[in-house]
Amino acid sequence: MYVTAKAVSAAERLASFRSEDMVSVDHLVVGGGVVGLAVGRELAKRQGSSTLVVEKNRGIGMETSSRNSEVIHAGIYYPKDSLRTKLCIEGKHMLYKYCQQHGVPYKRIGKWVVAQNDEQAEYLYQLAEHCSDVGVPVQMVSQVQAGKDEPCVRAYAVLASSTTGIVDSHALMGALQQDIADHGADLALGAQVEALSKDKAGGYRVLVATGDCNMPYMAVHAGSVVNAAGLWADRIAHMLVPDGHKWQTQYKLHFAKGRYYTYANSGSTPAITVQRLIYPVPDKHITSLGTHLTLDLGGAIRFGPDLEWIASNTDYAPSGGQSLEHVAEAVAQYLPAIRAKDLALGYVGIRPKLQPPGGEFRDFVIQEESDAGFPGFINLLGIESPGLTSSLAIAKMVACLL
């Protein structure tokens, strides 16, 4: 007679670990994207404390952090008192300084937001006033001057941002990873959090699957936990609370897939050249900044992202979405020489959004959860654009909360 062994849940497995068998750290950061790495670096600088960053993938920044436009944003779009504005502006200055000090390739290339009619032009004038209020330098460019500066671009009106730039996101994350190591902290790759619980004696117990057949699980006791899990941050938060808890609706992510397209002149028209980033006017809820033109550090043009709401945060399939003809039609509003045959699918990214499709603006959630009964637990949710730009400022804020 065979007896089927009862499956052991992750929570039961975590509870089975004795305290003396657990790895003990002062700070545990969940997520090894650019924000998690920045937080890990900031906490690792604390004398006399220990920090561990765990990342479920086999490499750092393999999701949102490496599948974006690699833009250093100026901080022009979002409400004045929002975290997105404050942390973007602060983070921008910190990031330029960090890149200079650590040899991370970047370029302060500038950006135009272009309007195509009176209504959009009025938005640009309002945006210019907003930028003045928040201290971001911008200027309106006349239609005549715009035609001289960027002859390939069609624009009824232009708002120019001089502090927008581009950065090598992979080199940035590599530098942050090295900083973590240099400060004596640890980074565990292929380490997936499967269970979380509050320890009655203080701090948190965390079960981590290692992928190692000799030691498939590691239990960690952490004095504080920073949930910087990006696309998975809501699931990490939900591990800590029972079914029906308000976090399950308050901290629920929605996923926006975006495809990026490369440009290669087909030869049927003169090659398109631009000297800066070109963005259309965004939608009213700033859900998307539109299918914009960016440049990489080698000067190659790319477009994107488009926007498709998806159910799964692992759906990187390039199928679906808009046809190349529709993408070219959107881009042609400001770049009339573009043709569908000049475009090819480059890569796909997914953005973690707190607002559902059609929903109004939602700010970053950066919350120390003592009021919810979880002291020393910090949730970072909805950290999409301008998350890369804001990463160092987010890390500074997290450190102040602990």
Side-chain angles (χ1 to χ4, degrees):
M1 179 178 180
Y2 294 96
V3 177
T4 303
K6 179 185 176 182
V8 178
S9 71
E12 290 171 331
R13 192 181 300 278
L14 175 60
S16 71
F17 276 87
R18 298 176 304 173
S19 297
E20 56 265 32
D21 295 328
M22 302 180 78
V23 175
S24 182
V25 296
D26 294 301
H27 310 296
L28 176 69
V29 180
V30 182
V34 67
V35 172
L37 293 170
V39 171
R41 166 187 173 268
E42 190 68 28
L43 295 177
K45 293 190 295 183
R46 291 186 170 181
Q47 296 292 325
S49 67
S50 55
T51 298
L52 171 64
V53 180
V54 293
E55 165 54 46
K56 71 179 184 64
N57 292 307
R58 292 295 177 180
I60 58 172
M62 294 180 66
E63 297 179 358
T64 306
S65 297
S66 60
R67 295 170 173 267
N68 58 73
S69 300
E70 296 187 301
V71 172
I72 301 175
H73 289 285
I76 67 175
Y77 292 108
Y78 302 106
K80 180 178 180 178
D81 294 327
S82 68
L83 289 175
R84 287 206 199 188
T85 293
K86 293 178 179 179
L87 295 174
C88 182
I89 294 171
E90 181 182 7
K92 168 185 63 178
H93 297 302
M94 295 175 71
L95 186 52
Y96 278 130
K97 183 177 180 180
Y98 184 86
C99 289
Q100 289 175 338
Q101 292 176 338
H102 291 78
V104 175
Y106 77 98
K107 187 174 183 180
R108 200 183 306 239
I109 196 170
K111 160 182 163 177
W112 280 3
V113 185
V114 295
Q116 304 301 335
N117 53 47
D118 286 330
E119 181 180 359
Q120 292 185 353
E122 179 58 31
Y123 169 83
L124 293 189
Y125 286 110
Q126 293 174 1
L127 190 59
E129 291 182 5
H130 168 72
C131 290
S132 177
D133 287 343
V134 298
V136 175
V138 296
Q139 64 179 19
M140 298 299 296
V141 180
S142 71
Q143 199 170 25
V144 171
Q145 188 62 46
K148 292 178 179 178
D149 292 345
E150 294 285 7
C152 292
V153 175
R154 174 195 288 154
Y156 180 78
V158 172
L159 180 73
S161 165
S162 60
T163 59
T164 300
I166 52 178
V167 65
D168 183 336
S169 61
H170 298 273
L172 171 62
M173 290 187 285
L176 293 170
Q177 181 180 11
Q178 187 61 53
D179 266 353
I180 288 171
D182 290 346
H183 286 95
D186 294 304
L187 169 65
L189 299 175
Q192 179 168 316
V193 172
E194 295 204 346
L196 269 168
S197 66
K198 185 179 177 182
D199 195 319
K200 293 179 181 179
Y204 297 88
R205 297 166 62 93
V206 186
L207 182 69
V208 180
T210 66
D212 184 339
C213 60
N214 295 316
M215 190 184 74
Y217 295 97
M218 172 178 68
V220 179
H221 181 274
S224 68
V225 176
V226 181
N227 173 14
L231 294 168
W232 305 86
D234 57 345
R235 300 188 191 189
I236 296 297
H238 296 169
M239 288 179 184
L240 201 54
V241 297
D243 290 342
H245 192 278
K246 66 178 182 179
W247 282 7
Q248 294 185 334
T249 52
Q250 179 183 355
Y251 294 159
K252 176 178 174 55
L253 292 175
H254 307 270
F255 306 113
K257 179 194 287 189
R259 297 165 184 81
Y260 294 81
Y261 303 87
T262 59
Y263 166 77
N265 181 247
S266 61
S268 60
T269 57
I272 294 169
T273 58
V274 293
Q275 306 302 316
R276 52 184 58 78
L277 313 183
I278 310 295
Y279 280 57
V281 168
D283 68 58
K284 65 179 181 178
H285 295 313
I286 328 177
T287 305
S288 167
L289 298 183
T291 303
H292 46 266
L293 179 158
T294 60
L295 299 165
D296 65 20
L297 288 163
I301 292 174
R302 57 189 173 192
F303 300 99
D306 55 12
L307 174 63
E308 177 191 1
W309 293 98
I310 55 175
S312 169
N313 61 359
T314 61
D315 179 10
Y316 291 98
S319 58
Q322 298 177 328
S323 66
L324 291 180
E325 286 74 19
H326 279 94
V327 175
E329 183 179 346
V331 172
Q333 296 297 312
Y334 60 85
L335 208 66
I338 195 71
R339 300 291 181 268
K341 57 187 175 182
D342 298 330
L343 301 174
L345 180 65
Y347 56 97
V348 177
I350 301 174
R351 289 155 282 171
K353 291 184 173 290
L354 284 166
Q355 69 265 46
E360 296 186 355
F361 169 80
R362 289 284 301 274
D363 202 1
F364 291 159
V365 167
I366 302 176
Q367 183 68 44
E368 196 278 332
E369 300 290 1
S370 288
D371 288 348
F374 302 105
F377 192 95
I378 295 184
N379 273 316
L380 309 181
L381 286 104
I383 311 296
E384 47 154 336
S385 182
L388 187 153
T389 306
S390 306
S391 57
L392 297 176
I394 291 173
K396 179 181 173 183
M397 180 176 177
V398 167
C400 289
L401 292 172
L402 288 175

